[in-house]
Amino acid sequence: MASIPAPVDVTKTPEWEALQKHHDKLVEEGISLKDWFAADPDRVEKLSFDLDDLHFDLSKNLVTDETVRDLVALGKAVGIEERFQNMLHGVHINTTEDRAVLHTALRRPKSDEGKFVVDGQDTVADVHEVLDRMYAFADRVRSGEWKGVSGKKIETVVSIGIGGSDLGPVMVYEALKAYPRAVDVRYISNIDPNDAAEKLKGLDPETTLVIVVSKTFTTLETMTNAAEVKTWLLQTLEAQGAIDGSDEQKAQAILHHFVAVSTNLEKVAEFGIDPQNAFGFWSWVGGRYSVDAAVGLSVIVAYGKEVFEDFLGGFHTVDEYFASTPLEKNVVALMGLVNVWYVNFFKAKSHAVLPYDQYLHRFPAYLQQLTMESNGKSTRWDGTPVTTETGEIFWGEAGTNGQHAFYQLIHQGTQLIPADFIAFVNTPNPAKVGDQDVHELFLGNFLAQTKALAFGKTADEVRAEGTAEWMVPARCFTGNRPTTSIFGQALTPHALGELIALYEHITFVEGTVWGLDSYDQWGVELGKQLAKQITPAFHGDEALDAQDASTKALIEYYRAHRK
Ligand code: F6P
């Protein structure tokens, strides 16, 4: 902690005061995107940005020139640029765990070796040593050189992990499905035995490789699932006559069918996995920031080295851009600051992320951990309480499915819900129905939604359609519901890396404004501790008596009804 100054109390800064006054004035004068667009022919140009192959349109946000100026001033007042430089150079900005935060080192090119030595460790050299081993291992599996215990080629990978050791790889695996893959991957995360039961259905253990992914290698869910899958694998191999059931053959089977990703190589060896088949990462990579570390191994096995290199390149492009672009032109920083504008001045509680790309259907779930585990906090990085609202509830669903589910509330509900729309110009699956290009039908919906949210529909327009007067209010759209459009050229591995880095840094910006250590997650601990105390109460009376009245009653209900 010593080297990190206490966070600025952002609410006491003149910049915050200026934003508050500006907000109140806008509200008093009446916010009207329609009027703002009419008054300023350059609005779209001023609020559009290109970052490599992603195009951003922020013009449908509730911001004026003055808002942007004031937000940038706020960003400078809290030292976003300096703090990011500190992060890049390994200052221990994760104060509560006294750790550097160096996920940006995971995507640096080899030519950066020697330039980022942190706590005596050449981070970039270490990263490339592991990457090279992962690529070599993945090649062996993909080519069929790596064999199961009975000499068969691997057809399916089962990846076991949870949280940051699962959400990233699943999301990326799904997002890249248009690319050729050498093996299928099934992801098991939940300790609910239904998850493993369903994922193992129909699998032949002789052609299955299991990757156990856990930073700590102690997580209850992952270790339970790993043990369960180990039992399934050994018993089924024995039943199929692939091994004879001796301890030696069982150990061989584990060596051939289990590999690990972890920072805890001792525990990996205890599990029976050959340390040579363990791929490490470091305490300076948070779980939710680790998909581009060894945690992405399943993605490399499925899609190969070139795809993963392209993916890492996307992250690095955004890192470089974010580090080198002045705040006023820096779309990454601006998106983070605009989010602060909504949370703290418009009192927005949630933020929708709506990918118009079916391949990104797991992106909102991935973002939930990234953003909410990072910034869902009430204490600042020096241990003092926060001074304003923090965190946003990120949620979403792929368009157009969401349109037929929850968009009603975004269009006409009483809450302001800023939304990010993500779409791509090109599709890997062009289709036509008659003369109609289906992708254009899809993109037409993306554009229609952002237009409807921004500009709405007036009572006069509704009346002109012959609507009965009493029904006019129900059919009006207020408009002025903010959206950001991210329009990429195509969902390539590179673009996907860019998108992830974009949201990582948006999270950083918000956390910096609020004075948070966005890289710890103490809020997950209590539930874990209590689960250990409660589980024995299903059968033990002493443990049952130690529970509170509600928990006790629920366990008694369980005992009464368990079949
Ligand atoms: O419980 C939350 C958490 O600690 C996440 O931060 C992490 O991504 C996840 O659990 C899994 O942890 P591990 O990779 O150590 O199994």
Side-chain angles (χ1 to χ4, degrees):
M1 232 320 275
S3 59
I4 309 280
V8 171
D9 178 354
V10 70
T11 63
K12 299 271 166 24
T13 60
E15 291 79 6
W16 190 269
E17 202 182 317
L19 274 162
Q20 188 63 61
K21 277 197 186 135
H22 168 61
H23 168 266
D24 296 347
K25 188 159 166 268
L26 286 182
V27 172
E28 199 185 307
E29 288 171 0
I31 288 172
S32 168
L33 279 173
K34 219 181 250 176
D35 292 350
W36 293 353
F37 271 82
D40 183 0
D42 297 333
R43 181 175 172 88
V44 174
E45 201 189 316
K46 281 193 257 179
L47 290 167
S48 291
F49 304 84
D50 287 291
L51 196 179
D52 200 33
D53 46 6
L54 299 179
H55 177 75
F56 295 78
D57 180 359
L58 270 59
S59 68
K60 295 194 191 86
N61 280 288
L62 306 184
V63 298
T64 64
D65 292 347
E66 189 179 338
T67 323
V68 173
R69 259 198 316 274
D70 288 357
L71 285 171
V72 167
L74 184 80
K76 288 186 178 155
V78 297
I80 286 175
E81 288 156 309
E82 297 78 1
R83 189 159 189 262
F84 192 61
Q85 285 305 321
N86 282 343
M87 177 169 139
L88 291 180
H89 290 92
V91 174
H92 287 205
I93 66 166
N94 177 353
T95 51
T96 70
E97 296 180 317
D98 193 15
R99 286 178 182 165
V101 175
L102 276 166
H103 43 274
T104 49
L106 299 169
R107 48 266 194 155
R108 286 193 179 279
K110 261 196 171 134
S111 52
D112 277 350
E113 281 185 10
K115 293 188 201 156
F116 293 87
V117 177
V118 174
D119 303 331
Q121 204 185 343
D122 184 345
T123 54
V124 181
D126 289 355
V127 163
H128 280 276
E129 189 264 323
V130 176
L131 271 177
D132 288 343
R133 284 204 308 117
M134 290 202 292
Y135 293 146
F137 168 76
D139 267 356
R140 290 179 65 200
V141 178
R142 290 165 59 79
S143 67
E145 184 197 326
W146 178 285
K147 302 265 190 291
V149 71
S150 56
K152 291 188 182 164
K153 177 181 181 310
I154 299 300
E155 308 282 355
T156 312
V157 167
V158 169
S159 177
I160 303 174
I162 197 164
S165 294
D166 171 73
L167 289 162
V170 178
M171 182 275 284
V172 174
Y173 177 74
E174 291 294 317
L176 298 180
K177 268 192 170 161
Y179 287 78
R181 60 183 184 276
V183 295
D184 284 335
V185 187
R186 299 186 189 186
Y187 292 89
I188 300 176
S189 55
N190 203 331
I191 195 167
D192 180 345
N194 295 337
D195 195 11
E198 286 302 323
K199 303 285 172 45
L200 295 177
K201 263 187 193 163
L203 283 190
D204 178 356
E206 292 181 58
T207 59
T208 300
L209 176 76
V210 183
I211 308 180
V212 185
V213 188
S214 175
K215 181 172 169 180
T216 54
F217 228 71
T218 57
T219 302
L220 176 74
E221 291 87 343
T222 302
M223 298 330 295
T224 306
N225 279 322
E228 212 185 303
V229 172
K230 193 198 239 183
T231 305
W232 163 83
L233 186 118
L234 294 176
Q235 285 179 351
T236 319
L237 285 175
E238 200 181 331
Q240 290 178 185
I243 58 172
D244 64 15
S246 65
D247 284 351
E248 199 196 324
Q249 292 222 341
K250 282 182 182 166
Q252 277 305 314
I254 293 168
L255 292 179
H256 281 80
H257 293 273
F258 277 84
V259 300
V261 172
S262 186
T263 55
N264 190 345
L265 298 181
E266 247 173 61
K267 289 262 176 219
V268 170
E270 266 174 40
F271 187 88
I273 294 172
D274 183 348
Q276 294 207 11
N277 300 328
F279 302 90
F281 58 115
W282 308 272
S283 63
W284 40 262
V285 185
R288 55 195 176 272
Y289 296 88
S290 67
V291 64
D292 46 336
V295 169
L297 182 62
S298 57
V299 173
I300 306 179
V301 175
Y303 296 107
K305 175 182 173 182
E306 283 70 30
V307 163
F308 204 74
E309 283 183 331
D310 201 18
F311 177 59
L312 295 181
F315 282 89
H316 188 58
T317 302
V318 172
D319 295 344
E320 296 278 279
Y321 168 94
F322 183 55
S324 63
T325 310
L327 288 190
E328 37 281 329
K329 295 198 161 53
N330 190 324
V331 68
V332 179
L334 290 175
M335 282 180 72
L337 291 166
V338 169
N339 288 355
V340 168
W341 173 236
Y342 293 130
V343 172
N344 296 122
F345 297 92
F346 287 85
K347 309 298 176 200
K349 295 278 178 244
S350 82
H351 193 118
V353 179
L354 308 166
Y356 275 65
D357 191 308
Q358 187 58 27
Y359 287 119
L360 284 180
H361 69 113
R362 294 284 300 181
F363 195 61
Y366 167 76
L367 280 190
Q368 288 190 323
Q369 188 200 12
L370 175 65
T371 57
M372 303 206 285
E373 199 165 81
S374 296
N375 286 342
K377 291 166 189 170
S378 314
T379 304
R380 300 189 299 167
W381 71 62
D382 63 345
T384 58
V386 296
T387 53
T388 185
E389 292 84 1
T390 66
E392 295 172 275
I393 300 162
F394 274 77
W395 59 286
E397 172 72 59
T400 56
N401 296 2
Q403 290 176 203
H404 297 272
F406 53 76
Y407 278 36
Q408 164 68 39
L409 185 143
I410 306 182
H411 281 287
Q412 288 189 317
T414 54
Q415 300 194 23
L416 181 86
I417 303 180
D420 297 347
F421 282 70
I422 304 169
F424 296 93
V425 174
N426 298 293
T427 174
N429 298 300
K432 281 208 159 185
V433 171
D435 287 342
Q436 178 63 58
D437 181 311
V438 180
H439 187 59
E440 287 178 2
L441 208 52
F442 184 42
L443 292 182
N445 273 273
F446 143 56
L447 295 172
Q449 292 298 327
T450 59
K451 184 169 181 165
L453 287 163
F455 305 118
K457 191 170 179 182
T458 63
D460 284 346
E461 286 167 330
V462 175
R463 275 188 203 105
E465 291 173 345
T467 306
E469 194 56 30
W470 72 272
M471 262 176 55
V472 168
R475 298 185 66 175
C476 282
F477 291 75
T478 57
N480 302 319
R481 295 183 181 242
T483 63
T484 292
S485 297
I486 304 173
F487 210 3
Q489 290 170 24
L491 179 55
T492 57
H494 188 81
L496 184 62
E498 290 177 328
L499 278 178
I500 300 173
L502 166 73
Y503 282 95
E504 285 178 350
H505 300 330
I506 288 174
T507 302
F508 166 84
V509 169
E510 293 180 44
T512 302
V513 173
W514 293 324
L516 303 177
D517 177 349
S518 302
Y519 305 99
D520 63 13
Q521 56 284 317
W522 297 106
V524 303
E525 292 304 325
L526 180 60
K528 289 184 193 177
Q529 280 170 14
L530 292 181
K532 281 192 196 144
Q533 293 168 15
I534 289 173
T535 309
F538 289 115
H539 298 284
D541 291 343
E542 206 179 311
L544 183 67
D545 286 342
Q547 304 308 323
D548 64 278
S550 165
T551 307
K552 194 173 173 191
L554 289 166
I555 294 174
E556 280 164 347
Y557 180 86
Y558 169 85
R559 286 187 181 190
H561 295 280
R562 178 165 186 178
K563 292 199 177 101

